[in-house]
């Protein structure tokens, strides 16, 4: 969690709409992942989705229903959700920035393709968690007295918007990679479609317009059947007006 976001939530109580044991379950899943990774690293690799044990452990790490719960998310969920985003982001970066030789610079173009089965599932979980944060932050902000609408918290709002835009851009770019498999494209496309409603309400109209253009460009760049998976995302990003997180300045 960034320092801005840590300062942003302050000392709010945690009454989570994610399951009450979400933090404990994610922590236990990550511990299991780390234990398995210690073994696979001896062979110069990370836990893989194609391996039954790796798939079991990774499915536990990215178990959205058990860890993230379901909407609606409320103000008191924000600290838990930010922690989930932070941990899922770290797991994805473990794959993206992996190098078998310590001290060498990771080649993300190579790792994106090599670990695409793992990254697609990790990004799917991460995007849903980011959308949950965007939803919960609106009632959180509205519950604060005016004096607590501080510069740090406003910077946190902007930080979240920037993170959403950057993540969407990276996902769309990944979908267009030549050696990215159709099954994994579908996972990413569904993640965008399923989160487009709340994410679009979090962005400025200018960012929404730009995102609609990027979604359209990705649709046109993919084989027709695969591009069609993204079509439902166009409507939310094409909506005018500014409500939800977009309206908080």
């Amino acid at each position: 969690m960034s320092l801005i976001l840590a300062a942003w939530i302050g000392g709010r109580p945690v009454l989570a709409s994610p399951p009450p044991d979400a933090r404990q379950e994610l922590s236990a899943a990550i511990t299991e992942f780390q234990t398995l990774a210690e073994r696979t690293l001896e062979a110069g690799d990370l836990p893989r989705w194609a391996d039954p044990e790796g798939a079991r452990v990774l499915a536990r790490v990215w178990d959205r229903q058990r860890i993230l719960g379901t909407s609606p998310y409320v103000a008191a969920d924000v600290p838990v959700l930010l922690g989930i985003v932070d941990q899922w982001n770290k797991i994805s970066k473990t794959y993206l920035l992996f190098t078998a030789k310590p001290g060498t610079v990771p080649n993300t173009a190579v790792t994106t393709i090599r670990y695409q089965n793992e990254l697609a599932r990790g990004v799917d979980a991460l995007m849903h968690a980011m959308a949950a944060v965007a939803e919960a932050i609106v009632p959180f902000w509205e519950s604060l007295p005016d004096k607590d609408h501080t510069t740090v918290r406003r910077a946190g709002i902007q930080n979240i918007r920037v993170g959403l835009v950057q993540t969407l851009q990276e996902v769309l770019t990944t979908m267009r990679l030549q050696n990215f498999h159709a099954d994994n494209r579908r996972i990413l496309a569904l993640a965008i479609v399923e989160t487009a409603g709340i994410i679009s309400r979090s962005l400025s109209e200018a960012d929404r317009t730009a995102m609609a253009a990027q979604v359209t460009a990705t649709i046109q760049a993919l084989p027709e059947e695969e591009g069609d998976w993204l079509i439902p995302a166009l409507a939310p990003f094409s909506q005018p007006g500014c409500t939800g997180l977009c309206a908080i300045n």
Side-chain angles (χ1 to χ4, degrees):
M1 187 191 308
S2 73
L3 290 177
I4 286 179
L5 290 179
W8 195 90
I9 62 176
R12 302 291 291 183
V14 178
L15 302 172
S17 161
D21 63 345
R23 279 176 164 165
Q24 293 88 338
E25 171 57 24
L26 181 54
S27 178
I30 289 174
T31 297
E32 189 174 17
F33 169 83
Q34 291 170 336
T35 299
L36 178 58
E38 288 177 3
R39 298 207 308 270
T40 60
L41 283 171
E42 293 176 1
D45 206 355
L46 290 169
R48 304 302 297 271
W49 190 259
D51 172 69
E53 186 178 12
R56 180 189 63 78
V57 171
L58 290 170
R60 185 185 182 192
V61 169
W62 293 318
D63 188 340
R64 287 199 275 116
Q65 183 173 0
R66 186 167 182 180
I67 294 170
L68 194 58
T70 56
S71 178
Y73 298 99
V74 298
D77 297 332
V78 170
V80 175
L81 292 171
L82 287 175
I84 293 170
V85 167
D86 185 53
Q87 292 301 314
W88 277 345
N89 189 44
K90 286 178 180 176
I91 293 291
S92 291
K93 284 186 175 180
T94 297
Y95 284 94
L96 187 63
L97 302 178
F98 178 74
T99 174
K101 297 179 180 179
T104 60
V105 177
N107 186 333
T108 56
V110 171
T111 54
T112 297
I113 298 303
R114 179 180 180 183
Y115 293 118
Q116 59 178 287
N117 294 338
E118 295 76 26
L119 286 168
R121 290 162 175 84
V123 169
D124 169 64
L126 181 61
M127 285 191 65
H128 282 84
M130 292 174 73
V133 169
E135 178 182 334
I137 274 180
V138 175
F140 182 101
W141 181 266
E142 292 172 347
S143 73
L144 295 173
D146 289 346
K147 66 180 179 63
D148 289 336
H149 290 169
T150 61
T151 300
V152 168
R153 287 196 169 104
R154 292 182 190 279
I157 292 284
Q158 183 58 23
N159 209 28
I160 290 165
R161 290 196 191 104
V162 169
L164 290 169
V165 170
Q166 289 178 340
T167 299
L168 281 166
Q169 290 173 334
E170 290 166 3
V171 171
L172 291 168
T173 298
T174 299
M175 288 183 67
R176 296 195 294 267
L177 294 176
Q178 184 176 0
N179 294 319
F180 208 76
H181 300 158
D183 288 348
N184 293 325
R185 283 198 184 110
R186 183 170 177 79
I187 290 171
L188 296 184
L190 289 177
I192 292 173
V193 169
E194 290 168 356
T195 60
I198 183 63
I199 290 178
S200 66
R201 294 193 297 274
S202 305
L203 306 182
S204 68
E205 288 194 76
D207 281 342
R208 251 177 284 150
T209 299
M211 197 54 57
Q214 291 187 47
V215 171
T216 299
T218 303
I219 291 171
Q220 294 171 346
L222 296 176
E224 183 175 356
E225 179 183 354
E226 297 176 26
D228 287 350
W229 298 332
L230 276 173
I231 289 176
L234 284 174
F237 288 118
S238 302
Q239 290 294 319
C242 194
T243 60
L245 188 59
C246 171
I248 300 175
N249 296 307

